Amino acid sequence: MSPRNIEKDLLMREERKKFILDSAVQVIATKGIGSTHMNDIAAAASISIGNLYHYFKSKDEIYAELLYMTQTDYGLFVTAASQMPGNAIDKLRYICSTWLSISTNWAFTILIQTARTTESIPLEIRNAVTERFTANLQPVAAIMKEGQESGHILDGEDPLELAFYFVSLIQGLTLQRAPGIEVRITPKTESIIRLFQVGFKK
Amino acid sequence: MSPRNIEKDLLMREERKKFILDSAVQVIATKGIGSTHMNDIAAAASISIGNLYHYFKSKDEIYAELLYMTQTDYGLFVTAASQMPGNAIDKLRYICSTWLSISTNWAFTILIQTARTTESIPLEIRNAVTERFTANLQPVAAIMKEGQESGHILDGEDPLELAFYFVSLIQGLTLQRAPGIEVRITPKTESIIRLFQVGFKK
Amino acid sequence: MSPRNIEKDLLMREERKKFILDSAVQVIATKGIGSTHMNDIAAAASISIGNLYHYFKSKDEIYAELLYMTQTDYGLFVTAASQMPGNAIDKLRYICSTWLSISTNWAFTILIQTARTTESIPLEIRNAVTERFTANLQPVAAIMKEGQESGHILDGEDPLELAFYFVSLIQGLTLQRAPGIEVRITPKTESIIRLFQVGFKK
Amino acid sequence: MSPRNIEKDLLMREERKKFILDSAVQVIATKGIGSTHMNDIAAAASISIGNLYHYFKSKDEIYAELLYMTQTDYGLFVTAASQMPGNAIDKLRYICSTWLSISTNWAFTILIQTARTTESIPLEIRNAVTERFTANLQPVAAIMKEGQESGHILDGEDPLELAFYFVSLIQGLTLQRAPGIEVRITPKTESIIRLFQVGFKK
DNA sequence: AATGAATGAGCATTCATTCAT
DNA sequence: AATGAATGAATGCTCATTCAT
């Protein structure tokens, strides 16, 4: 009946959406969230504003999907790290060095923090973000626990609490890497890991 | 118009400005920066919008002064801590517990990060913020150095680098305390200090 | 491509157009004119927007044809009534009761009034509507004249004028029956007819 | 304390609002409701769009107040008529001739009908309009009753029903007077009144 | 100094219409 | 013929800033 291939259309639609979201991340990583407008996103994806609204029905929806994508990707990354071969220290090292080396991560961090603290963003979205944030702590907590059991990581603390500190520290460091910020101190993975490591210190 | 009155007027003006800035912080801590508008600030200070502009010539200026005030206060706080009686661990403990206990600090942190990463804010202001951020690391670095020398704090790292991690960690944790965020993990000063402490770990 | 097929195609095209117009009336009767958009019409007719434009070259054209259809149908209805067996009162009664019983007629009335008074609709269309409105008064005027001559209907007035009042009254009543309007008074055909009837009143 | 006269300010604000509403009616009477936009209203009142929003917080609010004003004015007019000296016929005559002579009344009628039938207008407003419409029937019904008792007006019908017909007829006629409509029939007050009058007809 | 009305550029969003497939 | 993605002018509304009193 239809001269179009419906399946292919749906697939293309998903691809387009992904492409738009990726483009949006690029702009946000350059301009910051506060100054990224719908026309910036449209321009970044090389489509018209009107067409942008064919894929997402509001700015909030873009926000929500962006947050979902970002946090899901991060969750997958952390989960993969927790299942890597090697000991707990190796895994933390991998997380730390990889995360700090991605230069646009500051944008994710600010994106997430802003989403959580901006009144105009629907409570629903904000709660979902916090929910995922908490869920994403679990794989790191698992690494901490494993490290404590193998004697590599500081004992005596709740593994979840340690994970919370580790992630907060990395987030805090990530923020210092936003464009235009020239802190002359470069975080070093080895030094960061040592904070959580046992036996290294005399 | 005696010179006394002029002096007094200037003094009152400064007091009014301080009052307005303090009021602004209150709103921002409640509504977030993105959704705080000039009329919110005016309302918080119980003055008219027009009058607000008699004290500050633009929103950017309020931003700038707010950042200056915030960071200066923080600098004084950290400097005072570094000159406290007691050993390095005591000082870090004081910084950590005090900072985390102030419930509106998340607003300062986001304020500062947003200022640094928002394109529309003049480069001049953004640089000043980073400058002060770096300067404010010094007292903490001094504590770290003192601690390394007295054998209380991890050796082998640049004290400035350690200070950077310490501050980033606390900033990261502060962000998790924004209103509406319900992370069920409460950071504990003792556990945080331990990360930087020597000899505690077996 | 036999000539038969071409004829059949043209016929089908006309049928499709009629179907689309009928569907459009349904939506308008449900949503109101102001909030009926091209995609609503397309959806109501179960075709795509693009295809809609294969049958009608603009929203104005749909409007115009809708008005034409509506008014033509009404004209046929009124003409048929004027040629019915029975006296003038019977004929008016038929017009009145039939028209008021059709629950979507308010949509036609608003459609027509809006068309006449909306600047953005081309003058040409608006004039055509008024033209047809006036033409449609004639059969009713004929009934009035017949009634005056047979002594059933008020004498002393221009039959056309009486027709004008009769139609305006019915239009006015129709408007009160739009969805969401809850006027607790139900118009009664007998009472309405009496206004124009002779001898009934003492 | 304030260099302004607060009372006077409030008074002026009300005057300004009234002026804006009056201006809005003018545009609507010229352009039709559907094509009247906020900038049209602003231009008609010779103020900026931004300032328009100092007086009314949305287009809906302007609509609502316009409807309230219009219907309230109409209610006062009808009530005054019902309390005039003279018999019922005199009163109806006054209502009819006055209402039909005001050339912008068609705009009120369309305004009200559109408000009642447009989905996008909040149900609350629509209900209020219908409420007031019904309330405004009462004074006319009172005239009808008085006329029935004094033998001037058709007996045997519910006075409220008669009022409903009378008002619907006048509304219907009003609609025919919208700009751009050239119906060559002029309604005559005397003829209209006669429809409801007793004894005139032989 | 103090007030709040006034301004208008800027933003998110809508919708009739066109176009490539 | 049929589809729905693509376009962009237009609309309602916001908000930092200025102005008259």
Side-chain angles (χ1 to χ4, degrees):
Chain A
M1 193 75 176
S2 159
R4 292 256 186 104
N5 184 330
I6 293 178
E7 270 176 42
K8 200 179 162 191
D9 277 10
L10 274 174
L11 210 68
M12 272 193 62
R13 190 184 162 83
E14 280 314 301
E15 268 171 26
R16 295 289 275 150
K17 286 186 75 165
K18 184 82 170 72
F19 176 73
I20 292 169
L21 288 177
D22 285 339
S23 308
V25 167
Q26 294 304 319
V27 210
I28 290 172
T30 314
K31 310 192 62 164
I33 305 159
S35 2
T36 300
H37 308 295
M38 291 302 261
N39 57 356
D40 294 317
I41 296 173
S46 301
I47 62 173
S48 69
I49 289 184
N51 201 18
L52 189 54
Y53 279 86
H54 267 277
Y55 292 98
F56 302 94
K57 67 169 178 285
S58 70
K59 197 181 182 183
D60 270 1
E61 191 177 304
I62 294 188
Y63 251 71
E65 297 225 14
L66 214 45
L67 291 166
Y68 180 78
M69 184 180 91
T70 301
Q71 291 191 295
T72 303
D73 285 356
Y74 171 76
L76 292 174
F77 161 68
V78 174
T79 303
S82 77
Q83 292 163 354
M84 270 174 55
N87 64 34
I89 293 297
D90 293 334
K91 294 173 182 179
L92 290 185
R93 187 181 289 124
Y94 173 71
I95 291 175
C96 186
S97 64
T98 305
W99 192 252
L100 288 178
S101 69
I102 298 174
S103 68
T104 55
N105 275 349
W106 70 270
F108 298 157
T109 304
I110 286 245
L111 184 67
I112 288 168
Q113 294 306 336
T114 304
R116 288 164 93 187
T117 58
T118 298
E119 254 190 352
S120 64
I121 291 179
L123 193 60
E124 215 175 277
I125 293 178
R126 286 151 66 193
N127 284 339
V129 170
T130 297
E131 210 60 51
R132 285 195 294 267
F133 174 85
T134 309
N136 284 340
L137 279 180
Q138 298 305 329
V140 182
I143 298 176
M144 292 296 179
K145 192 168 186 214
E146 177 197 333
Q148 289 179 327
E149 285 164 0
S150 68
H152 288 98
I153 283 184
L154 296 193
D155 210 351
E157 321 284 351
D158 176 9
L160 186 61
E161 210 182 311
L162 279 183
F164 189 42
Y165 300 151
F166 181 74
V167 168
S168 295
L169 169 52
I170 289 186
Q171 266 198 10
L173 288 170
T174 303
L175 287 179
Q176 318 298 345
R177 319 203 62 176
I181 294 184
E182 202 46 73
V183 175
R184 278 167 299 274
I185 308 161
T186 312
K188 289 174 195 144
T189 299
E190 281 316 309
S191 312
I192 293 163
I193 299 301
R194 248 167 245 159
L195 297 177
F196 297 83
Q197 197 170 1
V198 153
F200 186 87
K201 327 177 183 183
K202 289 162 261 189
Chain B
M1 286 289 182
S2 75
R4 283 215 162 246
N5 279 343
I6 293 177
E7 258 177 49
K8 203 177 162 192
D9 279 5
L10 273 175
L11 208 68
M12 271 194 62
R13 188 183 163 83
E14 279 313 302
E15 269 171 24
R16 296 286 271 148
K17 289 184 71 166
K18 182 80 169 74
F19 176 73
I20 293 169
L21 290 177
D22 284 339
S23 308
V25 166
Q26 295 304 319
V27 210
I28 290 172
T30 314
K31 310 190 61 162
I33 305 160
S35 358
T36 300
H37 309 298
M38 290 302 261
N39 57 356
D40 294 317
I41 296 173
S46 301
I47 62 173
S48 69
I49 291 184
N51 202 15
L52 189 55
Y53 277 85
H54 274 278
Y55 292 100
F56 301 95
K57 68 168 181 283
S58 72
K59 197 181 184 182
D60 272 359
E61 192 178 302
I62 292 188
Y63 249 73
E65 298 224 16
L66 214 46
L67 291 166
Y68 178 78
M69 184 181 92
T70 301
Q71 291 190 296
T72 302
D73 285 355
Y74 172 77
L76 291 174
F77 162 68
V78 175
T79 302
S82 76
Q83 291 163 355
M84 269 175 56
N87 64 33
I89 292 298
D90 293 334
K91 294 174 181 176
L92 291 185
R93 186 181 291 124
Y94 173 71
I95 291 175
C96 186
S97 65
T98 306
W99 192 252
L100 287 179
S101 69
I102 299 176
S103 68
T104 54
N105 275 349
W106 71 270
F108 299 156
T109 304
I110 287 241
L111 183 68
I112 288 167
Q113 295 306 338
T114 305
R116 289 163 93 186
T117 58
T118 299
E119 253 191 352
S120 63
I121 291 178
L123 193 60
E124 216 175 277
I125 293 177
R126 286 151 67 192
N127 284 339
V129 171
T130 298
E131 209 60 53
R132 284 194 296 268
F133 174 85
T134 310
N136 283 339
L137 279 181
Q138 298 307 328
V140 182
I143 298 174
M144 293 295 180
K145 192 165 184 217
E146 178 198 329
Q148 288 179 326
E149 285 165 359
S150 67
H152 288 98
I153 285 186
L154 296 193
D155 209 354
E157 320 286 352
D158 176 7
L160 186 61
E161 210 181 312
L162 278 183
F164 188 43
Y165 299 151
F166 182 74
V167 168
S168 295
L169 170 52
I170 290 186
Q171 265 196 12
L173 288 170
T174 302
L175 286 179
Q176 318 298 345
R177 320 204 61 178
I181 294 185
E182 204 46 72
V183 174
R184 279 166 299 273
I185 307 162
T186 312
K188 290 174 193 144
T189 299
E190 282 317 308
S191 312
I192 294 163
I193 299 302
R194 249 166 245 160
L195 297 177
F196 296 85
Q197 198 170 359
V198 153
F200 187 88
K201 328 175 181 184
K202 294 162 252 186
Chain C
M1 286 289 181
S2 76
R4 281 216 164 246
N5 279 343
I6 292 177
E7 258 177 51
K8 202 178 163 191
D9 280 5
L10 272 174
L11 208 67
M12 272 193 63
R13 187 184 163 83
E14 280 313 302
E15 270 171 24
R16 294 287 272 148
K17 288 185 73 166
K18 182 79 169 75
F19 175 74
I20 293 169
L21 290 177
D22 284 338
S23 308
V25 167
Q26 295 304 319
V27 209
I28 290 172
T30 314
K31 308 190 62 164
I33 303 159
S35 3
T36 300
H37 309 296
M38 289 301 261
N39 58 355
D40 294 317
I41 296 174
S46 301
I47 62 172
S48 68
I49 291 184
N51 202 15
L52 189 55
Y53 277 85
H54 274 278
Y55 292 100
F56 302 94
K57 68 169 182 284
S58 71
K59 197 182 183 181
D60 272 359
E61 191 178 303
I62 292 187
Y63 248 74
E65 298 225 15
L66 214 45
L67 291 166
Y68 178 79
M69 184 180 94
T70 301
Q71 291 190 295
T72 302
D73 285 354
Y74 171 76
L76 292 173
F77 162 67
V78 175
T79 302
S82 77
Q83 291 164 355
M84 269 175 57
N87 65 33
I89 292 298
D90 293 334
K91 295 174 181 177
L92 290 185
R93 187 181 290 126
Y94 173 71
I95 291 175
C96 185
S97 66
T98 306
W99 191 251
L100 287 179
S101 70
I102 300 175
S103 68
T104 54
N105 274 351
W106 70 271
F108 298 156
T109 304
I110 287 240
L111 184 67
I112 288 167
Q113 294 306 337
T114 305
R116 289 164 93 187
T117 58
T118 299
E119 249 192 356
S120 64
I121 291 179
L123 193 59
E124 214 174 277
I125 293 178
R126 286 150 66 193
N127 284 340
V129 171
T130 297
E131 209 60 51
R132 284 194 295 268
F133 174 84
T134 309
N136 283 340
L137 280 179
Q138 298 307 328
V140 183
I143 297 176
M144 292 297 179
K145 193 168 184 212
E146 177 196 332
Q148 288 178 328
E149 285 166 359
S150 67
H152 287 98
I153 283 185
L154 296 193
D155 209 353
E157 321 284 348
D158 177 7
L160 186 60
E161 210 181 312
L162 279 182
F164 189 41
Y165 300 151
F166 183 75
V167 168
S168 295
L169 170 52
I170 290 186
Q171 264 196 12
L173 289 170
T174 303
L175 286 179
Q176 317 299 345
R177 320 203 61 177
I181 294 185
E182 203 46 72
V183 174
R184 279 166 299 274
I185 307 162
T186 313
K188 291 173 194 145
T189 299
E190 281 316 309
S191 312
I192 294 164
I193 300 301
R194 249 167 247 160
L195 297 177
F196 296 84
Q197 197 168 359
V198 153
F200 187 86
K201 326 175 183 183
K202 294 162 253 185
Chain D
M1 193 77 178
S2 159
R4 292 261 184 100
N5 184 331
I6 293 177
E7 271 175 42
K8 201 179 161 191
D9 276 10
L10 275 175
L11 209 68
M12 273 193 62
R13 190 183 162 83
E14 279 314 301
E15 269 171 25
R16 294 291 272 150
K17 286 186 76 167
K18 183 81 170 73
F19 175 74
I20 293 169
L21 288 178
D22 285 339
S23 308
V25 167
Q26 294 304 319
V27 208
I28 290 171
T30 315
K31 307 192 63 164
I33 301 160
S35 1
T36 300
H37 307 295
M38 289 303 261
N39 56 359
D40 295 318
I41 296 173
S46 300
I47 61 173
S48 69
I49 289 184
N51 201 17
L52 189 55
Y53 279 88
H54 266 278
Y55 293 99
F56 303 94
K57 66 170 179 285
S58 70
K59 196 183 182 182
D60 271 359
E61 191 178 303
I62 292 188
Y63 250 72
E65 297 225 14
L66 215 44
L67 292 166
Y68 179 78
M69 184 181 93
T70 301
Q71 292 190 294
T72 302
D73 285 354
Y74 171 76
L76 291 174
F77 162 68
V78 174
T79 302
S82 76
Q83 293 163 353
M84 270 175 56
N87 66 32
I89 293 297
D90 293 335
K91 294 173 181 178
L92 290 186
R93 187 182 289 125
Y94 173 71
I95 292 175
C96 186
S97 65
T98 306
W99 192 251
L100 288 179
S101 70
I102 299 175
S103 68
T104 54
N105 275 351
W106 70 269
F108 297 157
T109 304
I110 286 243
L111 184 67
I112 288 166
Q113 294 307 337
T114 305
R116 288 164 94 188
T117 57
T118 299
E119 252 191 353
S120 63
I121 291 179
L123 193 59
E124 215 176 276
I125 293 179
R126 285 151 65 192
N127 284 339
V129 171
T130 296
E131 210 61 51
R132 286 194 294 267
F133 174 85
T134 309
N136 284 339
L137 279 180
Q138 298 305 330
V140 182
I143 298 176
M144 292 296 180
K145 192 167 184 216
E146 178 198 330
Q148 289 179 328
E149 285 165 359
S150 68
H152 288 97
I153 285 186
L154 295 193
D155 210 352
E157 320 286 349
D158 177 8
L160 187 60
E161 211 182 311
L162 279 183
F164 189 42
Y165 299 152
F166 182 73
V167 168
S168 295
L169 170 52
I170 290 187
Q171 265 196 11
L173 289 170
T174 303
L175 286 178
Q176 318 298 345
R177 319 203 61 176
I181 294 184
E182 203 45 73
V183 175
R184 278 166 300 272
I185 307 161
T186 312
K188 290 175 195 143
T189 299
E190 281 317 309
S191 313
I192 293 164
I193 299 302
R194 247 167 248 160
L195 297 177
F196 296 85
Q197 197 169 359
V198 153
F200 187 86
K201 323 173 184 185
K202 292 161 255 193

